[in-house]
Amino acid sequence: MASDLEERVRAAFLDKLQMLKIPEREEDFLPSACCLLEKQRELAEVEQALLAQKEEFQLKMEELQQRRKELELKEGQLKKSILKFDKFLKDNDAKRSRALRKAGEEKQQAAQRVAEAERLKEEIAHLLAVKDKLQWQLERHKAFPEYLQKVLEKTEQFQGIPELIARFQALMATQATLAQRELVGREAVEEERARLQRYTEESSNQILQQNNRVAELQAQLEQAQTRVLELESSWVCIQNTAADKTLELGRIKLAALNLFQMVAKQRKLPADVPMEDTAAQLDVVKLCVMDLNDILANFRKGDPTPVPQPEPTPASRSETDPSQPPRPPGASLLSSPSNLLPALQPAGPRAGPSPLKFRIKKS
């Protein structure tokens, strides 16, 4: 509100300034004091105009405030009248709806009364028909009271017809109870019979399953026994093979020891090699054989005579003859120790003295 007032005052002030007529410049300028007074006078006029504008604006604002209050008062009165009219319309609508609802209820009640009257008429007709039927049955059953009276006259157990009828009803109730019990008993017997049938079938299935299981276990047992026999046979074969291999190894070690002892005896070498160290013994024999081969090679260089070829060993014969069974490695060496020399002989002559010869010379 204050900002609008300031903007309006500023606009009025600018309009006032534009309305002022600026005097034309003269050729000769006035003194500065006169100019200052002129400006002060103009400023006073502008301020007076501004104050007048403010007073006029203030009056207009007060008038507007008064008109706003009057409008608000009229608006409140109009709202009250509208509310009253709305309430009046609502009351009229409510009265109209109540009247319509009441009229509808009265119509529905009238229709219900008509339907009730029709139903009562039908019920009266039905009751009349039932009455006629009962009257006919009464006429038809007139002989039964006479019969019951005759029964009472013949039997002294009952005092009157109602007592006889009560006894008959008690007997009928007892018969119905017994029939119900019999029915329950029959159902229980049927249930037990069904349970017995199910139990018999389940037992038969279980026996069949157990028989199948026994057959499977029997087959597994036979397979296991067969497997055990196969494994035992394999174990016996392995033991026999191990015994043969052990015997063969013993023979090889014994042959190697004999060769080592012969070489050591001929070469007069110290027997410082353990008896269990077959590899060291064979190394000594190999060195001896290589030394002999070197000597033989040197001898052949001086006297080139043909060297007789060695006889074929059993191993070579088995290689040439496929009908002969293969012999284990080392069997030819064990059969004839002299065959060990060609097997240990190197491919060509070796230059220089042998380590064994050097070792003998040094000793």
Side-chain angles (χ1 to χ4, degrees):
M1 190 71 180
S3 61
D4 294 340
L5 180 60
E6 291 178 358
E7 290 178 358
R8 290 178 181 178
V9 170
R10 188 177 295 108
F13 179 70
L14 293 176
D15 293 339
K16 187 67 176 178
L17 289 177
Q18 291 177 2
M19 291 173 63
L20 292 176
K21 293 182 179 180
I22 300 174
E24 298 179 357
R25 295 184 60 184
E26 298 179 356
E27 296 179 357
D28 298 330
F29 292 97
L30 296 175
S32 59
C34 294
C35 291
L36 180 60
L37 291 174
E38 184 67 23
K39 294 296 181 182
Q40 288 179 356
R41 184 179 63 78
E42 291 177 0
L43 181 61
E45 291 177 357
V46 170
E47 287 179 354
Q48 289 178 359
L50 183 60
L51 289 174
Q53 289 287 337
K54 285 184 177 181
E55 291 177 358
E56 185 181 356
F57 183 74
Q58 188 70 25
L59 292 173
K60 288 182 179 180
M61 289 299 296
E62 290 177 358
E63 185 179 356
L64 289 174
Q65 289 289 339
Q66 186 67 26
R67 290 181 63 185
R68 178 179 293 176
K69 289 180 180 179
E70 293 176 357
L71 290 174
E72 288 179 355
L73 182 60
K74 290 180 179 180
E75 186 179 359
Q77 293 176 356
L78 182 61
K79 284 183 179 179
K80 289 180 181 180
S81 62
I82 290 173
L83 290 174
K84 289 180 181 180
F85 184 71
D86 190 12
K87 186 177 179 182
F88 174 73
L89 291 178
K90 288 181 179 178
D91 293 338
N92 287 336
D93 291 338
K95 290 178 181 179
R96 182 172 176 273
S97 62
R98 283 198 299 269
L100 291 175
R101 186 169 60 252
K102 189 174 180 180
E105 289 177 356
E106 289 178 355
K107 288 182 179 179
Q108 187 176 2
Q109 289 177 1
Q112 288 178 358
R113 290 192 188 97
V114 173
E116 185 71 18
E118 294 293 334
R119 188 182 64 80
L120 290 174
K121 288 179 180 179
E122 292 177 358
E123 188 175 355
I124 289 170
H126 177 68
L127 290 174
L128 291 173
V130 171
K131 179 182 177 182
D132 295 338
K133 186 177 180 180
L134 291 175
Q135 189 70 29
W136 178 75
Q137 289 181 357
L138 180 63
E139 294 293 335
R140 184 181 177 186
H141 295 158
K142 274 185 179 180
F144 294 106
E146 297 176 357
Y147 173 75
L148 292 175
Q149 189 65 35
K150 291 180 181 179
V151 171
L152 287 175
E153 291 175 357
K154 290 182 180 181
T155 60
E156 298 179 356
Q157 186 178 358
F158 304 103
Q159 299 296 329
I161 294 176
E163 186 178 356
L164 178 61
I165 293 173
R167 179 62 176 171
F168 176 75
Q169 290 177 354
L171 292 175
M172 290 295 293
T174 305
Q175 183 184 4
T177 304
L178 293 176
Q180 185 68 25
R181 290 182 181 178
E182 182 182 2
L183 180 61
V184 172
R186 288 181 180 177
E187 291 178 355
V189 169
E190 292 296 331
E191 290 180 358
E192 294 297 330
R193 188 174 297 169
R195 288 178 58 188
L196 178 61
Q197 184 67 23
R198 289 196 299 269
Y199 178 74
T200 304
E201 293 177 357
E202 291 176 358
S203 300
S204 301
N205 294 331
Q206 290 180 359
I207 292 171
L208 182 60
Q209 292 177 1
Q210 295 298 329
N211 290 333
N212 295 333
R213 180 62 178 170
V214 168
E216 291 177 359
L217 294 175
Q218 187 68 28
Q220 293 179 3
L221 178 61
E222 292 177 358
Q223 293 178 0
Q225 290 177 353
T226 305
R227 181 63 178 170
V228 167
L229 293 175
E230 292 177 356
L231 292 175
E232 287 180 353
S233 301
S234 301
W235 177 245
V236 170
C237 294
I238 290 170
Q239 287 181 345
N240 295 331
T241 305
D244 295 339
K245 295 294 182 181
T246 305
L247 180 60
E248 183 179 356
L249 180 62
R251 290 176 179 175
I252 292 171
K253 287 185 176 182
L254 183 60
L257 180 61
N258 291 332
L259 288 173
F260 172 72
Q261 289 178 356
M262 290 171 59
V263 169
K265 184 176 180 181
Q266 291 180 3
R267 296 290 182 178
K268 296 180 180 181
L269 298 175
D272 56 352
V273 179
M275 296 182 64
E276 293 80 6
D277 194 357
T278 306
Q281 295 172 6
L282 289 175
D283 289 338
V284 173
V285 173
K286 180 179 178 181
L287 292 174
C288 180
V289 171
M290 292 172 66
D291 192 10
L292 292 175
N293 284 331
D294 292 338
I295 294 171
L296 183 59
N298 293 329
F299 179 74
R300 285 176 178 175
K301 287 180 181 180
D303 188 9
T305 57
V307 180
Q309 295 293 330
E311 295 181 358
T313 60
S316 61
R317 284 199 301 269
S318 63
E319 292 176 358
T320 56
D321 190 2
S323 62
Q324 295 293 331
R327 299 186 63 185
S332 60
L333 298 176
L334 293 175
S335 60
S336 60
S338 60
N339 294 332
L340 184 64
L341 297 177
L344 298 175
Q345 185 177 357
R350 186 179 56 181
S354 63
L356 181 62
K357 189 184 296 183
F358 175 74
R359 190 181 300 168
I360 295 171
K361 289 180 180 180
K362 186 175 181 182
S363 62

